[in-house]
Amino acid sequence: MSLLKFFFASLVLVCNSVVFCALMVPFALIKLLLPFAPVRRGVDRVLNTIPELWISVNNFWLTAVNSGTWQVSGTEGLRRDGWYLVQSNHQSWVDIVVIQRVLNQRIPMLKFFLKKELIYVPILGLAWWALDFPFMRRGGGGGSARKDLRDARQACEKFRLLPTSVMSFVEGTRFTPAKHAHQQSPYQHLLKPKSGGMGMALGTMGELFDSLIDVTIIYPDKVPTFIDAMCGRLGKVVVLVQQRPIPPELLKPGSQQRAQLQAWVEALWQEKDHAIGQRLGSELYNS
């Protein structure tokens, strides 16, 4: 049965990706050849709608092959015409599918900070480029790092044209016990947060953001892999969504902004770590 579910999910996912990326190609070419603000604004509206449909189809196969329960709270009051900064803890590639399922068509389409190498992923790399996803190089320094920073800032500037949600996994990598031990993380369920991506978004378009959407993802049974999700072994999923005001001082330029942002994120991380511990303890008690 798991094998049949995997083949069904794979077929839907591949066909879905090919069809919707093909739909994006002519609009991506228009965007490349006519890089003018009025044209970009109209083209970007179409380019942002296509991935929402792609996500809806992915939600179909995810629900069809998995029977586990979902507990989602805090999505009330979200708006599709707002600007949001979104952050989440990160444990698995499944996190992206989970966040998209919960927030799709509730807020503007999520734009992720991606590793530079992902631009070469067949089909999806072109789609991410057309959608102005910021591509970042991990590590390195000097001129290449400064160029990556400029490119990411330029991508964030483009987000001003239409309501946008900028997504950041502030841990920078997926949580594993080995990484947790290596970091000597002060949090029980999280890695140390890195606020660079959030700082870039705030510094470029901070005055536009309505709020921070703080997402906490919990897998009470076990942390699933993407293969688990495709084979129907996703298990129970708990998603806590909180809208939080962004402190006004973080929107002001100044030498202390980075330190203030890091302190704010660390405070949020302490609260998130406590919420995960409480929920996991409750699940263990009730099982």
Side-chain angles (χ1 to χ4, degrees):
M1 181 62 72
S2 293
L3 188 60
L4 289 175
K5 290 181 177 181
F6 175 79
F7 282 127
F8 172 76
S10 299
L11 180 63
V12 176
L13 177 60
V14 171
C15 293
N16 185 32
S17 299
V18 170
V19 168
F20 282 106
C21 285
L23 289 175
M24 293 179 69
V25 169
F27 298 100
L29 290 175
I30 293 172
K31 186 172 181 176
L32 177 65
L33 298 173
L34 300 172
F36 310 112
V39 176
R40 285 185 57 91
R41 188 174 289 110
V43 170
D44 282 345
R45 289 187 187 278
V46 178
L47 286 172
N48 288 337
T49 300
I50 293 173
E52 290 183 345
L53 299 174
W54 177 78
I55 292 169
S56 296
V57 176
N58 286 338
N59 290 342
F60 160 72
W61 70 254
L62 184 69
T63 304
V65 303
N66 289 282
S67 58
T69 60
W70 287 65
Q71 292 184 0
V72 179
S73 62
T75 57
E76 303 82 6
L78 298 178
R79 302 187 352 256
R80 296 195 63 182
D81 61 347
W83 267 269
Y84 295 107
L85 182 58
V86 186
Q87 72 164 6
S88 174
N89 58 317
H90 193 18
Q91 305 162 81
S92 165
W93 282 108
V94 179
D95 298 340
I96 298 174
V97 180
V98 167
I99 293 171
Q100 289 177 332
R101 182 183 188 273
V102 170
L103 297 180
N104 187 43
Q105 298 183 345
R106 296 181 185 273
I107 63 175
M109 201 199 73
L110 291 166
K111 305 292 179 74
F112 292 82
F113 287 91
L114 298 175
K115 297 178 183 179
K116 194 82 172 180
E117 296 78 10
L118 292 178
I119 198 171
Y120 301 109
V121 174
I123 301 176
L124 292 178
L126 172 64
W128 290 327
W129 171 84
L131 292 167
D132 295 318
F133 279 37
F135 289 93
M136 305 288 290
R137 181 178 285 114
R138 298 291 173 85
S144 61
R146 288 192 292 273
K147 182 180 184 302
D148 284 344
L149 186 62
R150 288 196 301 271
D151 291 345
R153 286 190 182 278
Q154 289 173 2
C156 288
E157 285 286 351
K158 296 171 186 174
F159 295 161
R160 289 176 169 271
L161 295 175
L162 289 174
T164 301
S165 303
V166 181
M167 175 74 208
S168 179
F169 288 113
V170 297
E171 290 164 296
T173 184
R174 296 184 299 279
F175 178 99
T176 67
K179 294 174 184 176
H180 184 266
H182 178 72
Q183 280 192 356
Q184 297 183 330
S185 174
Y187 311 100
Q188 185 176 358
H189 307 284
L190 302 166
L191 300 178
K192 294 178 180 178
K194 301 175 183 179
S195 57
M198 291 179 62
M200 188 183 307
L202 286 169
T204 305
M205 50 183 289
E207 76 280 4
L208 293 176
F209 287 125
D210 295 304
S211 62
L212 170 76
I213 298 180
D214 186 11
V215 180
T216 303
I217 303 173
I218 305 169
Y219 303 108
D221 300 327
K222 68 167 187 174
V223 177
T225 65
F226 200 79
I227 297 298
D228 286 331
M230 297 178 74
C231 291
R233 300 191 297 263
L234 180 59
K236 187 174 183 179
V237 181
V238 177
V239 184
L240 312 177
V241 179
Q242 290 180 281
Q243 283 197 73
R244 299 178 182 273
I246 300 173
E249 61 269 20
L250 297 182
L251 307 179
K252 300 176 182 177
S255 59
Q256 300 302 314
Q257 183 181 8
R258 179 176 296 181
Q260 291 173 339
L261 174 60
Q262 185 66 29
W264 179 55
V265 172
E266 288 176 357
L268 295 177
W269 232 235
Q270 190 68 48
E271 185 176 333
K272 185 186 295 288
D273 193 53
H274 180 68
I276 294 172
Q278 274 195 323
R279 183 56 64 101
L280 289 175
S282 174
E283 292 288 342
L284 182 62
Y285 177 79
N286 292 324
S287 62

